[in-house]
Amino acid sequence: MFENYDTLIIFHFFDIPINATIFSSWIVMSVLMLFSFLATRFLSDDIQTSRWQTLMEMVVIWLRKEIKETSNDNPAKYLGLGLGLFMFILVSNFLTIIPWFRPPTASLSTTIAFALVVFCAIPYHAIQNAGFLGYLKKFIDPSPIMLPMNLFSEFASTFSMALRLYGNMLSGVMFASILTSFVPLILPLSMQVLGLLTGSIQAYIFALLAIVYMSNVGPSLPYVEEN
Amino acid sequence: MDAVSLIGAFSVLAAGLCMGIGSLGSAIGEGNAAASALQAMAQQPDEASRIRSTLFVTMAMVETTALYALLISFLTFYANPFWNYAIEAASTK
């Protein structure tokens, strides 16, 4: 009953076992690549744009606005990683409506990998924004007594991000499988619809929290948008 | 009752209690957050979108404690270390 996708071997690729997590990550990656290929195929800044380009522009403009509201900083700095995390998690959570698809986000190794990427991106953006000393100053922020707490929260905040996504997706998947063993008809469908809602919210929250942590140490001068 | 059935019974009880008590606090917290956000949205409808995005993030943070409880109860159900230890001790005896 326990859904552990890391030990579930799908097939062997030249004697290398490929588990369900990696396999469904590849599916999500190929879907994303197909999306971006379709969106950038007839790229134009004319009035007449293709439908896919309009869709992608909507997502990018929306996320740019969100980043600007939360970080008060140049959104282009965080857009790449934020949009990448958001789209990957969103697509993998949305694909759960396809039966037999095992979402890679319901495995702890995927979410820990995401959190590690964010964990490395936090000092990078902080040093870029405020310099090395400005980054170190964050740890003794109210007073040097808080140093162990700040160090601990640096690890705990990113780790809890991974656990949150994993817990949400795992609970959705397991609840569906338990419910299917009781009531195989109709009723699991409503839970799947609820899973779509929580999946999209989780994708939004993961991307937004990553942006909040990355823009925690902001630049000394406020960002002014040039038109 | 022998040790293995005691461990099994109490693991199930612990998982249930963990989920019940653990979700209690975060449910109250989320309700408070939603109530305050609704009040703020009613007072300042212009700021509604900003309040909503902050609300989602806050809710997710509050929800984390309940999710920890969920993971712990999964652990006691499916990967119980005491249960495995008792089974191993019984088989090697």
Side-chain angles (χ1 to χ4, degrees), chain A residues 6-47:
Chain A
D6 290 347
T7 53
L8 191 72
I9 308 296
I10 298 281
F11 64 94
H12 287 260
F13 180 75
F14 294 120
D15 290 342
I16 303 167
I18 302 295
N19 60 27
T21 311
I22 297 176
F23 185 63
S24 33
S25 300
W26 287 347
I27 295 176
V28 173
M29 278 152 67
S30 52
V31 166
L32 279 176
M33 273 188 246
L34 185 71
F35 270 14
S36 42
F37 169 71
L38 286 173
T40 55
R41 201 164 38 152
F42 303 111
L43 215 55
S44 74
D45 55 355
D46 214 353
I47 294 172

Side-chain angles (χ1 to χ4, degrees), chain B residues 36-48:
Chain B
S36 307
L38 284 177
Q39 209 168 18
M41 274 186 220
Q43 281 171 355
Q44 300 154 289
D46 298 340
E47 290 288 304

Side-chain angles (χ1 to χ4, degrees), chain A residues 1-2 69 160 163-164 168 170-171 174 204-205 208-209 213, chain B residues 49-50 53 56-57 60-61 63-64 67-68 70-71 74 78:
Chain A
M1 191 82 84
F2 186 72
E69 275 179 9
S160 80
L163 275 188
R164 179 178 307 124
N168 266 298
L170 183 76
S171 68
M174 282 193 58
Y204 170 70
I205 280 164
L208 207 70
L209 276 181
Y213 292 144
Chain B
S49 69
R50 203 170 172 152
S53 68
F56 278 143
V57 175
M61 285 196 151
E63 208 182 48
T64 311
L67 281 172
Y68 289 157
L70 180 76
L71 289 179
F74 275 161
Y78 298 105

Side-chain angles (χ1 to χ4, degrees), chain A residues 63 67 70-86 114-131 134-135 138 154 157-158 161 205-219, chain B residues 61:
Chain A
L63 199 70
I67 294 171
T70 47
S71 67
N72 286 321
D73 199 359
N74 186 5
K77 259 194 266 182
Y78 313 108
L79 189 69
L81 188 52
L83 193 66
L85 286 172
F86 176 74
F114 287 164
L116 275 178
V117 170
V118 176
F119 185 75
C120 298
I122 290 169
Y124 170 75
H125 282 290
I127 291 170
Q128 204 182 33
N129 281 342
Y135 170 61
K138 187 183 84 168
E154 186 79 11
S157 55
T158 39
M161 239 164 67
I205 280 164
F206 196 95
L208 207 70
L209 276 181
I211 288 155
V212 166
Y213 292 144
M214 281 191 290
S215 64
N216 204 358
V217 180
Chain B
M61 285 196 151

